Amino acid sequence: MHKTTLEKANSAESMFSVSALNVKNKKTQKLYSVLFLMMTLLLILPVLVILGTLIVKGGSMISIDFLFTDPVNGMTEGGVFPALLGTVWLVSLALLVSVPLGIAAAIYLSEYASDNWFTRIINLAIINLAGVPSIVHALFGLGAFVMFFGFGTSILAASLTLAIMTLPVVIVSTRESLQAVPHAFREACWNMGATRWQTIRRVVLPNAVSGILTGVILEVSRTTGETAPIMFTGAAFFLPFLPQGIFDQTMALSLHLFVVSTQVPNVPEALPYAVALVLIGMVLLMNSVSIALRMYLRGQKKW
Amino acid sequence: MNTAHDYAITTEKLNLWYGSFQALFDIDLNIRNGMITSLIGPSGCGKSTFLRSVNRINERLGYVRIDGKINVQEQNIYAEKVELVQVRKQIGMVFQRPNPLPVSIKENILFGHKLHVKDKKYSAADYNDIVEKSLRQVLLWDKVKDSLDQKATALSLEEQQKLCIARLLPVKPNILLMDEPCSALDPKGTAAVEELIWELRGEYSILLVTHNMAQARRASEECIFMLMGKVIEHKETSDLFVTPDKKETADYIEGRYG
């Protein structure tokens, strides 16, 4: 039997109207989007609470003087200058080692190496190196640099330990930014008879540099906060003088924070918060520089 | 009658495998000097693979195995003593998607040239000459002569593709390989690039892979039909489309498969 025209029109109308199942699916969809929004907000919450607490409790102590004077009176008064300077020493020296090494390794892995068991083992090693706990790196640094190479507990030994610890970060981020450069650029170069190095030097690196820099700066911010690796290898509890060279020990912000918050009696309540604020301020500053730089360099290129 | 010297590319029993998959079977081809030869056939028939083995760009994949010979200007480019850089210099390639480098128009043109010249000093005027000459050859000069320092990636696709062809010319190649050079372009752009390809014949031997049978018919002098990794037929374009010898060819150009 055929339906009448009228019946057809009616059924067509109901065909496009809301069904119970539609309503239910829509509700579920809404529920999940709200749920995930909550998760995201939950993620930001600790950051805000940490920053807020630090500023409220330690903000009053921060001043130019605090940054540029020595701690006095059993570290219960004065500033953080030796620790700040020590951190700058450690981080710069660590960078000086890990950046060239890491970028070279990443270039090899991304541009030269073919995919075989050897490079797969290297990749596996890099991933594992990134997963090694920092205290293990500390012990390695102690054994290798302090004792075996005889650098003693020194800035050099601590920086090398930090460098090894952050090497995987540099390698992975560099390799990713190299691989983000479109393959068509490489093909274009090869087809004009460019060697791999000419291709890398003239086309790949200039286009990957923003990503590489971002990775490096993120590494800086991570290195700044590390405590365990430098504790055994070169950072001192307290030093009455500034380091004169890379074979001296030094104070460092992260260790100083640990010390004033747990090891020294009669510290004013605000002091550890102020030290933490300086430390986190340094890291945030680095990150903002990294973001600004990335935005600037991204604006420069178009493809 | 043709002598051997009239051929830009000749192949002898060329077989090619990707891993364990054989993509080319016993390819014997004689591709004539200074002509536009088009390669047609359905997807996966090996036409791009063949093109890419002519300048050895396939090797980058690592798992490609080749046996047989490809002679370019009577020399086997797979011989042991062959320098890859020289092969690439002699045999330029144009890709499906225009791939200008993200630098200025001028630097794009000079890129290949600068790669290969180390000992000789060039003045700014020499460079300008090279740029003008190359761009004139691809019929792009009048359009971009006032914006040579602009990013090449800002050009239209048609202009980018012309630039990619122009970029090959300063290193003085003999052969241009084109892998579906118009498939990213609109009909106007296609017509313009086809016109350019037609202009370049004679001076260069051009091997043109295309999906577009009408294009092969319009823009080539000889035509090769490939199917499942084999060459089915190779003759003058006008002949191939009117009186194909093989049934497969006839069925393909009539659109019965592909």
Side-chain angles (χ1 to χ4, degrees):
Chain A
M1 288 296 279
H2 287 287
K3 287 182 182 173
T4 66
T5 323
L6 189 65
E7 270 170 335
K8 264 190 191 163
N10 280 339
S11 69
E13 202 176 297
S14 63
M15 195 159 78
F16 295 121
S17 57
V18 177
S19 76
L21 185 64
N22 292 152
V23 175
K24 187 169 160 273
N25 284 346
K26 239 181 233 162
K27 266 189 190 154
T28 320
Q29 132 76 15
K30 187 92 189 150
L31 182 75
Y32 275 101
S33 83
V34 170
L35 192 71
F36 290 149
L37 174 68
M38 287 312 197
M39 302 283 192
T40 313
L41 292 180
L42 216 61
L43 213 72
I44 313 171
L45 199 64
V47 180
L48 293 178
V49 172
I50 290 172
L51 272 181
T53 318
L54 290 182
I55 289 170
V56 169
K57 296 207 173 173
S60 60
M61 279 195 81
I62 301 285
S63 65
I64 296 291
D65 267 359
F66 184 74
L67 293 180
F68 293 108
T69 56
D70 290 353
V72 289
N73 212 352
M75 287 189 273
T76 55
E77 286 168 41
V80 291
F81 184 59
L84 188 64
L85 189 74
T87 295
V88 172
W89 266 102
L90 290 171
V91 171
S92 352
L93 200 58
L95 277 187
L96 218 59
V97 176
S98 66
V99 168
L101 260 177
I103 291 181
I107 289 178
Y108 178 76
L109 288 173
S110 154
E111 304 297 317
Y112 287 100
S114 53
D115 182 28
N116 54 32
W117 62 270
F118 180 64
T119 50
R120 261 175 263 157
I121 285 177
I122 293 179
N123 280 322
L124 201 65
I126 291 167
I127 294 165
N128 281 316
L129 195 61
V132 172
S134 56
I135 189 73
V136 176
H137 278 290
L139 290 173
F140 168 74
L142 179 67
F145 302 124
V146 177
M147 288 151 79
F148 184 77
F149 288 108
F151 296 149
T153 45
S154 60
I155 293 179
L156 182 63
S159 297
L160 289 176
T161 311
L162 285 174
I164 290 202
M165 200 186 73
T166 46
L167 206 50
V169 184
V170 182
I171 296 178
V172 170
S173 70
T174 305
R175 200 178 46 187
E176 266 162 26
S177 35
L178 291 175
Q179 278 165 3
V181 176
H183 192 69
F185 292 173
R186 295 186 179 88
E187 278 192 326
C189 287
W190 294 337
N191 273 293
M192 281 183 277
T195 60
R196 287 204 183 200
W197 173 242
Q198 285 171 321
T199 308
I200 294 165
R201 172 71 194 77
R202 289 169 196 239
V203 173
V204 180
L205 278 183
N207 284 296
V209 73
S210 68
I212 295 174
L213 277 178
T214 314
V216 167
I217 293 170
L218 285 177
E219 186 216 345
V220 172
S221 61
R222 188 171 164 220
T223 317
T224 309
E226 281 299 337
T227 318
I230 57 174
M231 223 159 116
F232 301 156
T233 51
F237 187 83
F238 176 71
L239 280 180
F241 48 83
L242 296 176
Q244 304 299 310
I246 55 171
F247 288 104
D248 286 347
Q249 289 191 40
T250 180
M251 292 178 75
L253 267 183
S254 52
L255 185 64
H256 187 59
L257 173 58
F258 171 69
V259 167
V260 293
S261 25
T262 62
Q263 309 291 305
V264 183
N266 304 325
V267 170
E269 205 206 332
L271 184 62
Y273 289 103
V275 176
L277 200 57
V278 173
L279 186 59
I280 213 171
M282 234 174 125
V283 171
L284 287 183
L285 187 73
M286 288 296 177
N287 286 354
S288 335
V289 170
S290 138
I291 292 167
L293 198 66
R294 189 170 50 193
M295 274 160 57
Y296 170 72
L297 288 169
R298 279 220 183 124
Q300 296 284 81
K301 69 185 180 193
K302 271 189 237 134
W303 65 59
Chain B
M1 269 287 103
N2 293 316
T3 64
H5 200 70
D6 290 331
Y7 296 120
I9 306 165
T10 57
T11 67
E12 294 164 36
K13 293 249 174 281
L14 178 70
N15 286 282
L16 183 146
W17 294 261
Y18 292 114
S20 59
F21 174 77
Q22 186 166 7
L24 297 178
F25 295 83
D26 288 336
I27 305 286
D28 286 309
L29 278 173
N30 295 312
I31 292 162
R32 309 222 348 236
N33 236 334
M35 275 201 173
I36 306 173
T37 304
S38 59
L39 271 163
I40 59 169
S43 294
C45 70
K47 53 193 192 301
S48 286
T49 298
F50 174 69
L51 196 74
R52 288 168 157 263
S53 52
V54 176
N55 75 344
R56 296 180 60 177
I57 198 86
N58 264 338
E59 285 168 36
R60 296 273 170 177
L61 294 172
Y63 51 87
V64 176
R65 195 160 60 81
I66 284 178
D67 90 31
K69 272 190 190 169
I70 299 181
N71 303 312
V72 171
Q73 243 81 44
E74 293 178 75
Q75 288 183 45
N76 183 8
I77 57 163
Y78 283 89
E80 220 160 274
K81 271 192 268 168
V82 164
E83 169 61 44
L84 207 50
V85 167
Q86 290 299 336
V87 171
R88 301 267 164 76
K89 215 177 123 179
Q90 293 295 321
I91 307 168
M93 185 150 183
V94 180
F95 294 84
Q96 200 163 0
R97 188 98 208 143
N99 57 354
L101 297 169
V103 291
S104 70
I105 295 174
K106 192 172 164 184
E107 284 304 316
N108 261 287
I109 301 285
L110 293 173
F111 190 91
H113 179 75
K114 284 182 176 171
L115 287 177
H116 298 295
V117 191
K118 273 274 147 65
D119 37 350
K120 216 166 134 195
K121 279 271 171 271
Y122 279 81
S123 67
D126 292 334
Y127 281 139
N128 288 337
D129 279 351
I130 294 171
V131 172
E132 181 173 346
K133 195 164 161 259
S134 308
L135 286 171
R136 274 194 193 285
Q137 260 192 301
V138 299
L139 321 170
L140 200 58
W141 173 251
D142 290 328
K143 211 153 191 185
V144 300
K145 64 178 176 212
D146 298 321
S147 51
L148 293 175
D149 291 317
Q150 275 176 23
K151 284 242 163 153
T153 36
L155 294 171
S156 75
L157 282 176
E158 171 200 330
E159 290 158 356
Q160 287 186 20
Q161 194 64 297
K162 285 180 169 178
L163 179 68
C164 288
I165 297 172
R167 184 172 67 179
L168 300 170
L169 307 181
V171 300
K172 305 193 170 56
N174 291 310
I175 294 170
L176 300 178
L177 305 174
M178 307 205 177
D179 192 355
E180 304 197 35
C182 299
S183 63
L185 308 182
D186 61 17
K188 212 168 129 268
T190 303
V193 171
E194 279 175 12
E195 185 194 334
L196 163 62
I197 295 172
W198 199 250
E199 288 284 322
L200 292 174
R201 84 190 203 287
E203 195 170 343
Y204 305 94
S205 311
I206 297 169
L207 200 53
L208 173 79
V209 161
T210 177
H211 243 105
N212 180 337
M213 269 185 278
Q215 179 173 60
R217 211 167 169 170
R218 282 194 304 266
S220 71
E221 294 156 285
E222 289 205 344
C223 186
I224 297 165
F225 172 63
M226 289 181 72
L227 185 64
M228 310 286 282
K230 292 182 183 117
V231 171
I232 304 295
E233 197 161 349
H234 175 192
K235 57 184 186 172
E236 266 178 47
T237 306
S238 49
D239 267 1
L240 186 118
F241 280 97
V242 179
T243 51
D245 294 332
K246 301 273 168 56
K247 187 170 179 309
E248 292 98 319
T249 317
D251 286 350
Y252 181 71
I253 60 182
E254 276 166 33
R256 284 194 203 143
Y257 64 91

